[in-house]
Amino acid sequence: MKAVLLDRDGVINSLVYHEDAGVIDAPFKRSQFKLLPRVPEAIRLLNDVGLKTAIVSNQPGIAKGHLKPEMLKTFERRMLSEIHSEGGHIDRIYYCLHHPNAKEPDLRQTCRCRKPEIGLLEQAAADLHVSLQECYMIGDGIPDLLAGARAGCRTIFIGRWKCEICQFTEGAVVRPTLVAKDLWEASKVIRAEMAGNSPGISAEPLCATGID
């Protein structure tokens, strides 16, 4: 394996409960953007085992009128600064800014870059000079897993894979290769695989029973 493709919201930074809209979504304000625990260390670990890293993220907030392009760049600068402060780096960043129901006419379209389509993944692989079959795709949502599977990546789901989710998915293609509770754990799973060891901490069943 040569590269790791990462979703952003829910993997790199926290999701936010927007009380006015009653939804959990990406951050819209500067004060809402916070990296999840041990993310910079996880990125550094991936760098240390020789893997290139790229973020491939659906970011329809501008299209929906939730934030301005300048705020998206502010989030990006903060993210890269905090990762760099721990000795890590991201090689490439790709956003899909489109949405089929966008308020902004220029961004209202059905595109090939919005996951679960694989346009972002293809661009990242081309720019990193790797094949998609040599990539991990890490995400916390069904579109991430579908895109990764369609592209031929090895997929890692961040979170807890529940039977309730399985009942509403599009079949076996969406089921992740591995499951990890966060990016730090996922990076250790990858390091174990790169070393040819069994990644014991990925042993959580794909369909877990019980209620959190």
Side-chain angles (χ1 to χ4, degrees):
M1 307 300 283
K2 295 183 179 178
V4 179
L5 309 180
L6 299 148
D7 183 38
R8 199 197 76 175
D9 304 309
V11 175
I12 299 290
N13 60 275
S14 301
L15 293 167
V16 177
Y17 175 63
H18 298 277
E19 189 172 359
D20 54 342
V23 298
I24 297 174
D25 205 338
F28 302 157
K29 302 175 183 178
R30 186 193 309 266
S31 61
Q32 295 171 336
F33 188 85
K34 298 178 181 178
L35 294 196
L36 288 162
R38 305 203 75 175
V39 161
E41 294 93 334
I43 298 297
R44 186 184 64 206
L45 190 155
L46 296 174
N47 299 153
D48 288 346
V49 298
L51 291 166
K52 299 177 181 179
T53 56
I55 291 174
V56 288
S57 178
N58 293 349
Q59 291 294 326
I62 297 170
K64 294 180 178 181
H66 294 318
L67 69 159
K68 299 295 185 182
E70 294 78 14
M71 187 58 66
L72 184 61
K73 294 301 293 184
T74 295
F75 295 160
E76 182 178 306
R77 286 192 295 269
R78 177 178 292 185
M79 173 184 68
L80 293 176
S81 176
E82 293 188 28
I83 291 171
H84 181 73
S85 69
E86 293 293 335
H89 69 271
I90 298 291
D91 293 287
R92 302 274 181 161
I93 297 176
Y94 305 89
Y95 301 129
C96 172
L97 302 179
H98 309 117
H99 194 277
N101 301 318
K103 293 181 180 180
E104 298 291 334
D106 292 345
L107 297 175
R108 187 186 306 128
Q109 60 175 282
T110 300
C111 60
R112 288 197 68 255
C113 55
R114 180 173 169 81
K115 294 175 293 182
E117 299 300 326
I118 66 171
L120 287 186
L121 284 67
E122 289 177 326
Q123 186 62 57
D127 291 344
L128 295 173
H129 305 292
V130 299
S131 74
L132 284 167
Q133 290 72 32
E134 296 171 324
C135 296
Y136 290 93
M137 175 68 220
I138 302 180
D140 68 325
I142 300 303
D144 305 315
L145 300 182
L146 281 172
R150 290 170 178 174
C153 301
R154 193 160 174 77
T155 56
I156 302 180
F157 178 76
I158 297 295
R160 182 170 173 81
W161 192 254
K162 299 181 180 180
C163 289
E164 297 97 302
I165 296 176
C166 299
Q167 293 170 5
F168 295 100
T169 62
E170 298 182 20
V173 67
V174 78
R175 295 171 72 119
T177 310
L178 300 165
V179 178
K181 68 178 182 180
D182 55 24
L183 186 57
W184 174 246
E185 185 173 279
S187 69
K188 292 194 292 182
V189 169
I190 290 171
R191 180 178 63 182
E193 286 205 330
M194 297 284 287
N197 300 323
S198 174
I201 57 175
S202 68
E204 182 177 343
L206 295 186
C207 284
T209 58
I211 299 175
D212 289 342

